Amino acid sequence: MARRLIILGTGGSAYDVLDIVHSINVQAQTWELAGFLDDARPSGSRYLDLPVLGGLREATRFDDCWFINVIGSDVSYRRRPEIIQSTGLAPDRFATLVHPRASVSPWARLGLGVYVSFGVSIGGGVSVGNHVSFSPACVIGHDSVFADCALIAPQAVISGFVRVGCCCYIGAGAMIRQKLEIEAGALVGMGAVVTKHVPAGVTVVGNPARQLVRS
């Protein structure tokens, strides 16, 4: 019997999860989309032809459902642990979703609440924490490590032995050299080429990537 799935948030990344679920169900009917929880939309409204069932704090009412979080952007990415905690859900209530046309090595480990979109490649020895999001066409090199709640935007390339800290945001098309560390809460800008360690909480942009100094 198909398992009921609720999506947390109604941002653009919801399309990635809908694509993943649709493609999984084409192969075998695995998931039934129950709807969304979102604090910014009224309960009883509809989004992408699915019902908005309530706000995030109502998640525990749905004891027959699994959940996946899509809330997170280059503005809100550091709040992802707070968003997850606000639901009151136990860790094992979160689904791990992999698009059938993604390549995940059998020697990689994925945490709870992770989703892996179309065209992603995850190499052997990769370790992924909980609630990490891989957008379409990311390439993840062998033996890299991702802490909880990291968000990897489309077509980012992360080489081998890289360590990505909690609540990092890796922008679309960014490239990270092997054996570097991107510390917690850092943001790597779109198209940046990272050749050096990135300290916690900073934003780096450009080629080669340099810390962005805000005026």
Side-chain angles (χ1 to χ4, degrees):
M1 188 172 78
R3 293 172 286 180
R4 288 167 54 81
L5 180 71
I6 292 176
I7 300 173
L8 304 178
T10 56
S13 295
Y15 284 105
D16 291 339
V17 167
L18 292 176
D19 289 344
I20 294 167
V21 169
H22 171 76
S23 296
I24 291 171
N25 285 346
V26 167
Q27 295 189 340
Q29 192 65 32
T30 304
W31 297 103
E32 175 192 346
L33 287 164
F36 294 93
L37 293 179
D38 194 298
D39 292 341
R41 294 180 185 269
S43 180
S45 62
R46 295 186 72 81
Y47 179 72
L48 300 179
D49 205 32
L50 291 168
V52 177
L53 303 168
L56 298 179
R57 288 171 177 79
E58 297 179 67
T60 54
R61 291 199 299 114
F62 302 93
D63 56 8
D64 63 336
C65 293
W66 294 65
F67 297 83
I68 191 79
N69 175 53
V70 302
I71 302 172
S73 67
D74 57 350
V75 175
S76 63
Y77 65 99
R78 291 183 181 132
R79 294 185 52 242
R80 282 160 68 85
E82 174 190 335
I83 290 164
I84 298 299
Q85 186 176 18
S86 75
T87 66
L89 294 167
D92 62 2
R93 299 291 303 281
F94 288 89
T96 298
L97 304 175
V98 178
H99 196 291
R101 294 186 66 183
S103 175
V104 178
S105 169
W107 291 276
R109 294 178 296 166
L110 304 182
L112 300 170
V114 171
Y115 68 82
V116 180
S117 302
F118 172 84
V120 172
S121 174
I122 297 179
V126 171
S127 178
V128 178
N130 298 333
H131 308 293
V132 178
S133 303
F134 293 99
S135 298
C138 300
V139 177
I140 311 302
H142 62 88
D143 296 296
S144 288
V145 176
F146 294 81
D148 293 351
C149 297
L151 197 159
I152 316 302
Q155 294 190 324
V157 177
I158 298 173
S159 301
F161 293 105
V162 170
R163 300 185 68 87
V164 177
C166 180
C167 299
C168 286
Y169 184 96
I170 310 299
M175 303 179 71
I176 300 176
R177 197 187 72 185
Q178 68 270 22
K179 299 182 179 180
L180 295 182
E181 182 172 6
I182 315 299
E183 289 192 5
L187 184 148
V188 175
M190 181 173 61
V193 177
V194 180
T195 59
K196 297 180 180 179
H197 170 88
V198 179
V202 307
T203 296
V204 296
V205 297
N207 179 9
R210 293 180 173 85
Q211 184 172 345
L212 179 65
V213 179
R214 302 183 188 277
S215 58

